Amino acid sequence: MTSNLTHQSLASALEGLEKGDFTSVELTQAHISAIEATRDLNAFITETPEIALKQAANSDERRASGKAGLLEGIPIAVKDLFCTKGVQTTAASHILEGFIPQYESTTTQNLWDDGAVMLGKVNLDQFAMGSANTTSYFGNVINPWKKRDGSNEQLVPGGSSGGSAASVAAYTSMAATGTDTGGSIRQPASFCGITGIKPTYGRCSRWGVVAFASSLDQPGAFARDVRDSALLLESMSGFDPKDSTSADMPVPHFAGALTGDIKGLKVGVPKEYRVDGMPEEIEKIWQQGIEWLKSAGAEIVDVSLPHTKYALPTYYIIAPAECSSNLARYDGVRYGLRVEGEDLTDSYEKTRAEGFGDEVKRRIMIGTYALSSGYYDAYYIKAQKVRRLISNDFTDAYKKCDVLLTPTAPSAAFVIGENDDDPIKMYLNDVFTVPSSLAGLPAMSVPAGLDKDGLPLGLQIIGRAWDEETVLRVGGVLETAAQFPFLNK
Amino acid sequence: MSLSTDDVKKVARLARMKLTDAELEEHKAKLSGIISFVEQLSEVDTDNVEPLSSVVDIKLRLREDKVTDGDIVKDILKNAPEELEDFFAVPKVVE
């Protein structure tokens, strides 16, 4: 019974709750037990079973009195980058260890208002900086997938939202929040064989989300299927006056977009995404995706995004620059770690040296360098100009097509430790996800198949700004065609 | 372009992070690699291109100038490493 409760979709759990087949307390308890049984994955930084059971009991009462919200009674996991009132929020860093927010992020508040239940705070790369969840102060997250050769090698779940993806894939939550700055939702979704959507920049409020690179950061949703992602995203979305870049636009009923009908839809295939050294299997799954959409009635169009190869270098100026500015707030004065020094400056320097991990320090220093006197125009302004060219590439492509189809990542999940020695090698994981982040576009990863080792590969759908609905509709068609073999522990 | 030890020392100082000599050398190698990587951008022609600072075409909103929040001193100080009479406390700055 317990695994029947966890191994179902969010949408079917909503039906079961409504029919009275089980209660939210039972559903929540099943997930709490699953979390306890899979602690070896290290997906959670903070488990909150007491809060979850209390919220579930309240939810059952609301449902009984006919006041069920969109996600009434559904247990979810929250990336430990969202501030949660009264619950430790660490950004997977030492500098914020023990930080207890006195306020709730708008995005998570939206979820609780809709009846969702919080199972806990999940692990991530420190300050969301990483692509393998190997930079967390609280240890690596383990991908629940294993190679089919029987080797017991531990694989990365991707990053930065690695805990979110691992938890959903391992059936320890029905869905999870994530944030995506350059691929932090889509790449882990691909590595863990689940769906993940980053909406248009401005769709979900950033208020109360620990900031990394503010012009790129965007909350989004993980779930095992496209419909569940749509439901979670709908709840998370909406205008927030507390975020100056939040869009004052109505939120569609995203799940309503899943009609399965893509006849006549123009799907663009960008030739620049055929990168050197890309494994044949990635190319194969991409071709397969193209065939699936064609069979469903879509028209395939060749398009060009000529500045694609400059997206990563652009990102690695802009994101660190914004990070160096955002992370200046961690000074050991108002919150977080303080290391005493000889004077105030010495205390700042020791606090930050001890509080930040290596990758975070690296990005702060790159950003500081790029913004420093004498280099600002050559690096930062230059990157902003190239960012416009990258954004214009998409505008031009969307004159010929409605949506783009690409691989999500250039590889499947790799062994923990691989790529750790060379930052550039690690950054290349995001080669297909960064361009749409720079342009602020909605994009989703859908699990499409397995590679020769039996590991998941995802395909990415990139849409026009504010057109999450077409992205989801195409995602639904891919999902139906792919019949992806979900992990079934 | 490769960074010198002094460059890294200066950047670490600007970013208020105390690094040991060994850490400076370690960061020097990796930062130089990243800087060389991003320098590919110099080959892109960006004459007459306006820098893009925000993908959102929204003008920053104005709101009525009135108090909407406040009286939460205790909340604000809740996570302070050190506080004194409703203020954040820091080591002595002025002798």
Side-chain angles (χ1 to χ4, degrees):
Chain A
M1 182 59 191
T2 303
S3 91
N4 290 344
L5 287 178
T6 53
H7 288 52
Q8 63 178 330
S9 70
L10 189 164
S12 93
L14 283 172
E15 280 174 32
L17 287 165
E18 188 55 31
K19 281 195 284 183
D21 293 346
F22 45 84
T23 64
S24 174
V25 169
E26 288 165 341
L27 184 67
T28 300
Q29 185 57 58
H31 284 88
I32 292 170
S33 304
I35 291 168
E36 287 169 357
T38 54
R39 284 198 179 126
D40 55 326
L41 298 177
N42 199 29
F44 283 76
I45 291 176
T46 307
E47 296 172 15
T48 57
E50 297 87 6
I51 293 173
L53 288 170
K54 195 167 162 235
Q55 285 178 328
N58 292 339
S59 167
D60 285 331
E61 274 177 36
R62 279 195 301 272
R63 189 176 286 282
S65 62
K67 287 184 222 145
L70 181 66
L71 298 174
E72 195 62 62
I74 298 296
I76 62 160
V78 174
K79 186 178 187 179
D80 203 18
L81 200 64
F82 291 83
C83 286
T84 42
K85 190 173 181 177
V87 176
Q88 175 182 241
T89 300
T90 67
S93 72
H94 183 35
I95 211 159
L96 277 179
E97 190 177 12
F99 172 65
I100 312 281
Q102 301 304 301
Y103 53 89
E104 186 77 25
S105 86
T106 301
T107 306
T108 47
Q109 188 61 52
N110 290 344
L111 293 169
W112 318 140
D113 289 348
D114 280 336
V117 167
M118 179 169 81
L119 292 164
K121 305 293 292 290
V122 277
N123 209 339
L124 62 148
D125 275 303
Q126 193 168 139
F127 283 102
M129 299 175 197
S131 307
N133 215 127
T134 50
T135 70
S136 167
Y137 178 72
F138 300 92
N140 300 335
V141 175
I142 317 288
N143 191 325
W145 287 79
K146 297 268 185 243
K147 289 184 186 174
R148 65 159 67 108
D149 62 7
S151 73
N152 212 28
E153 283 177 318
Q154 292 185 333
L155 305 173
V156 303
S160 70
S161 314
S164 307
S167 166
V168 172
Y171 301 90
T172 66
S173 57
M174 308 212 84
T177 70
T179 62
D180 192 314
T181 304
S184 284
I185 289 175
R186 292 159 283 163
Q187 184 253 19
S190 178
F191 279 20
C192 292
I194 60 171
T195 66
I197 181 163
K198 174 198 98 75
T200 312
Y201 181 85
R203 182 67 92 182
C204 293
S205 170
R206 292 180 295 109
W207 193 81
V209 181
V210 176
F212 159 19
S214 305
S215 80
L216 296 156
D217 296 343
Q218 181 56 211
F222 286 97
R224 285 182 294 269
D225 68 34
V226 176
R227 179 171 304 273
D228 291 0
S229 293
L231 289 169
L232 192 72
L233 183 64
E234 179 177 343
S235 175
M236 292 170 72
S237 300
F239 174 59
D240 179 11
K242 288 190 280 197
D243 171 358
S244 62
T245 58
S246 170
D248 192 357
M249 292 175 70
V251 178
H253 175 50
F254 290 127
L258 301 175
T259 59
D261 181 9
I262 57 161
K263 276 191 191 67
L265 193 79
K266 291 192 171 113
V267 176
V269 175
K271 65 172 187 231
E272 290 80 5
Y273 281 52
R274 276 197 179 87
V275 296
D276 289 344
M278 186 162 84
E280 206 178 304
E281 290 176 290
I282 305 280
E283 172 69 38
K284 218 173 98 189
I285 199 84
W286 190 11
Q287 205 51 49
Q288 178 67 73
I290 291 168
E291 293 306 321
W292 283 330
L293 296 183
K294 216 191 270 180
S295 321
E299 187 189 327
I300 306 299
V301 187
D302 287 326
V303 296
S304 172
L305 301 167
H307 296 90
T308 298
K309 71 176 272 211
Y310 300 110
L312 270 180
T314 301
Y315 179 85
Y316 276 97
I317 293 173
I318 289 174
E322 294 183 12
C323 131
S324 78
S325 168
N326 270 327
L327 273 63
R329 73 190 66 178
Y330 302 103
D331 55 8
V333 172
R334 290 154 300 163
Y335 39 75
L337 179 74
R338 175 192 289 186
V339 180
E340 299 299 338
E342 286 162 24
D343 52 30
L344 193 55
T345 303
D346 193 45
S347 173
Y348 292 153
E349 292 186 337
K350 285 181 171 154
T351 298
R352 291 164 63 81
E354 194 173 317
F356 293 134
D358 280 344
E359 180 61 23
V360 175
K361 284 180 187 160
R362 210 148 39 227
R363 297 204 195 184
I364 290 174
M365 287 195 284
I366 300 265
T368 305
Y369 182 75
L371 292 175
S372 64
S373 166
Y375 296 104
Y376 184 82
D377 284 349
Y379 290 104
Y380 189 62
I381 297 293
K382 181 77 182 181
Q384 286 192 319
K385 288 180 174 177
V386 182
R387 185 176 183 183
R388 182 172 299 280
L389 294 174
I390 290 165
S391 176
N392 289 348
D393 281 356
F394 282 102
T395 309
D396 290 342
Y398 286 130
K399 287 174 187 158
K400 290 194 216 156
C401 65
D402 302 304
V403 75
L404 297 162
L405 181 73
T406 78
T408 304
S411 77
F414 45 87
V415 177
I416 290 178
E418 224 176 280
N419 299 331
D420 272 358
D421 54 330
D422 181 357
I424 306 286
K425 261 163 70 190
M426 190 62 94
Y427 299 168
L428 286 170
N429 267 287
D430 296 328
V431 63
F432 300 138
T433 48
V434 154
S436 42
S437 290
L438 289 168
L441 302 173
M444 172 172 217
S445 180
V446 173
L450 302 179
D451 75 354
K452 61 179 184 327
D453 293 321
L455 299 177
L457 297 174
L459 287 173
Q460 177 179 228
I461 305 139
I462 307 169
R464 293 190 175 103
W466 312 113
D467 191 14
E468 288 85 357
E469 288 169 286
T470 302
V471 172
L472 289 160
R473 183 177 306 125
V474 174
V477 170
L478 276 181
E479 172 177 66
T480 305
Q483 291 297 309
F484 182 76
F486 285 94
L487 203 60
N488 208 347
K489 325 182 61 162
Chain B
M1 187 177 127
S2 76
L3 303 185
S4 68
T5 305
D6 279 347
D7 289 335
V8 181
K9 214 179 259 180
K10 184 185 165 200
V11 170
R13 169 85 186 155
L14 285 172
R16 296 284 183 270
M17 296 188 298
K18 186 157 276 178
L19 300 183
T20 63
D21 288 347
E23 286 169 330
L24 280 175
E25 290 308 311
E26 166 88 15
H27 281 295
K28 183 172 85 172
K30 289 184 175 168
L31 293 179
S32 295
I34 297 167
I35 295 292
S36 306
F37 175 69
V38 301
E39 278 179 343
Q40 302 175 51
L41 293 189
S42 61
E43 64 193 58
V44 185
D45 179 2
T46 51
D47 288 351
N48 306 315
V49 178
E50 276 295 301
L52 180 70
S53 53
S54 171
V55 291
V56 189
D57 279 333
I58 308 171
K59 254 173 67 182
L60 287 183
R61 289 178 296 273
L62 299 176
R63 66 167 173 83
E64 204 183 324
D65 184 15
K66 65 176 186 197
V67 177
T68 57
D69 206 349
D71 279 334
I72 48 168
V73 175
K74 293 287 173 231
D75 282 352
I76 289 169
L77 290 171
K78 186 88 181 175
N79 286 283
E82 194 185 346
E83 57 168 302
L84 191 66
E85 293 173 9
D86 282 355
F87 287 95
F88 295 109
V90 295
K92 198 156 145 191
V93 181
V94 183
E95 287 302 327

